[in-house]
């Protein structure tokens, strides 16, 4: 069984800036994986390389065994990405946007699935609204829907809950958790660490293009947390993150 995501020795420079420095990481099928790190750590760069949008200077990456360069189309079909930036065509409606996305992947008769995704993301009432008329959070829901239209086995969400209200966050996490239970591999990037703590089984932390921590959420909490003053020795992922990023990790 190929790994969901295999990253081997990936480096990427932007001029003098090293965005990724020899990153290697394997994410197995079925994992709910967290990719964390401060602003500028290289998370989106790594995701863009996996999606074939950015070419690495060195190294290899594959999605479900398909190389993101030499087997681009196959790799891309295996992957659904919810991008950090809001990009869309303002003149199409929500339903049209999702149907076109199906067409991009050459999928016909996908209407039932498109309607189901819209229902899960509470978009049905906006199905015939133009994209430009949607609020920021609604647009983000469409980005999530767009990533799912081709039923990819591997789903990467780059800060999907930024600017999103509590209700959508909860319905989104229910929906994503169900997809994970159904066997989809989920990779989540978020700055809401309590979200990562609740959802992710395993976590990688990036700092200045390097992986500085990689372990199960449970181990990270027990090995790197500092006891809270007010609690009963319980730690949370935010303490762990701060400890690791400041170099105080034990
Ligand atoms: N196209 C580009 N040209 C030049 N520099 C870039 C480009 N894309 C990213 N960078 C730089 O690479 C580094 C990593 O950026 P990246 O977007 O991957 O970080 P990130 O971990 O996703 O951060 P955030 O949490 O803010 O989204 C940053 O220093 C960024 O300024
Ligand atoms: Mg980013």
């Amino acid at each position: 069984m190929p790994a969901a995501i295999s990253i081997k020795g990936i480096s990427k420079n932007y001029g003098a800036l090293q965005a990724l420095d020899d990153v290697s990481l394997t994410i197995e099928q079925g994992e709910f994986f967290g990719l964390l790190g401060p602003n500028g750590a290289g998370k989106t760069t790594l995701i863009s390389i996996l999606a074939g949008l950015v070419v690495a200077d060195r190294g290899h990456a594959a999605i479900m065994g398909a190389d993101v360069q030499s087997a681009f189309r196959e790799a891309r079909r295996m992957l659904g990405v919810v991008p950090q930036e809001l990009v869309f065509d303002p003149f199409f409606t929500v339903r049209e946007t999702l149907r076109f996305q199906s067409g991009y992947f050459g999928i016909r008769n996908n209407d039932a699935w498109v309607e189901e995704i819209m229902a899960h993301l509470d978009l049905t009432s906006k199905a015939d609204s133009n994209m430009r008329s949607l609020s920021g959070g609604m647009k983000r829901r469409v980005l999530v829907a767009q990533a799912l239209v081709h039923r990819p086995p591997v789903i990467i969400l780059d800060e999907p809950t930024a600017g999103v209200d509590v209700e959508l966050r909860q319905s989104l996490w229910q929906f994503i958790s169900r997809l994970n239970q159904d066997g989809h591999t989920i990779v989540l990037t978020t700055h809401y660490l309590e979200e990562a703590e609740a959802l992710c089984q395993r976590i990688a932390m990036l700092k200045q293009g390097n992986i500085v921590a990689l372990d199960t959420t449970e181990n990270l909490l027990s090995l790197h947390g500092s006891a809270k003053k007010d609690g009963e020795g319980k730690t949370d992922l935010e303490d762990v993150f701060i400890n690791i990023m400041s170099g105080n990790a034990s």
Side-chain angles (χ1 to χ4, degrees):
M1 192 165 82
I5 296 176
S6 157
I7 297 165
K8 287 182 185 151
I10 289 275
S11 294
K12 177 69 189 176
N13 275 66
Y14 290 110
L17 184 121
Q18 185 149 34
L20 293 171
D21 178 12
D22 194 20
V23 171
S24 295
L25 177 65
T26 303
I27 300 172
E28 301 298 343
Q29 289 182 37
E31 281 199 79
F32 201 130
F33 191 91
L35 182 62
L36 308 181
N39 292 137
K43 304 178 297 295
T44 299
T45 303
L46 189 60
I47 292 167
S48 301
I49 289 169
L50 295 173
L53 300 171
V54 167
V55 179
D57 299 331
R58 281 182 299 285
H60 293 279
I63 312 290
M64 302 291 281
D67 189 277
V68 299
Q69 286 291 308
S70 60
F72 168 73
R73 287 175 68 89
E74 207 184 327
R76 188 63 191 85
R77 183 177 280 274
M78 298 289 184
L79 181 64
V81 179
V82 181
Q84 182 172 13
E85 301 292 333
L86 298 169
V87 276
F88 55 86
D89 193 317
F91 299 107
F92 294 129
T93 69
V94 171
R95 186 180 277 117
E96 283 167 346
T97 300
L98 298 178
R99 287 184 177 172
F100 284 136
Q101 184 77 7
S102 301
Y104 171 80
F105 284 103
I107 305 166
R108 277 176 221 171
N109 307 323
N110 204 26
D111 290 355
W113 177 235
V114 164
E115 297 302 318
E116 192 181 331
I117 298 170
M118 286 197 295
H120 277 293
L121 293 167
D122 238 333
L123 279 169
T124 307
S125 64
K126 301 281 178 191
D128 298 312
S129 303
N130 273 350
M131 289 297 298
R132 64 167 175 265
S133 72
L134 301 185
S135 70
M138 285 290 175
K139 284 174 188 150
R140 198 162 285 284
R141 295 180 198 210
V142 179
L143 288 185
V144 174
Q146 257 187 305
L148 300 174
V149 289
H150 60 296
R151 299 178 190 253
V154 182
I155 300 160
I156 303 180
L157 304 108
D158 195 354
E159 295 188 42
T161 47
V164 148
D165 67 37
V166 179
E167 217 173 320
L168 171 63
R169 262 190 218 195
Q170 290 184 349
S171 64
L172 180 60
W173 293 132
Q174 271 174 21
F175 186 37
I176 298 295
S177 296
R178 205 198 76 192
L179 289 170
N180 181 240
Q181 281 154 22
D182 291 347
H184 292 262
T185 306
I186 310 289
V187 178
L188 167 66
T189 286
T190 181
H191 290 292
Y192 300 105
L193 298 185
E194 71 279 5
E195 219 167 65
E197 182 175 339
L199 292 161
C200 300
Q201 297 144 2
R202 209 155 68 94
I203 286 173
M205 293 191 192
L206 268 182
K207 180 185 179 183
Q208 294 174 356
N210 291 280
I211 292 182
V212 291
L214 173 65
D215 212 330
T216 60
T217 309
E218 206 182 335
N219 283 347
L220 285 171
L221 288 169
S222 63
L223 296 173
H224 297 289
S226 51
K228 269 192 180 166
K229 289 177 195 114
D230 51 352
E232 294 131 16
K234 275 176 80 183
T235 63
D236 64 25
L237 197 61
E238 213 160 294
D239 293 322
V240 174
F241 184 84
I242 291 165
N243 280 343
I244 288 175
M245 289 306 152
S246 62
N248 295 338
S250 43

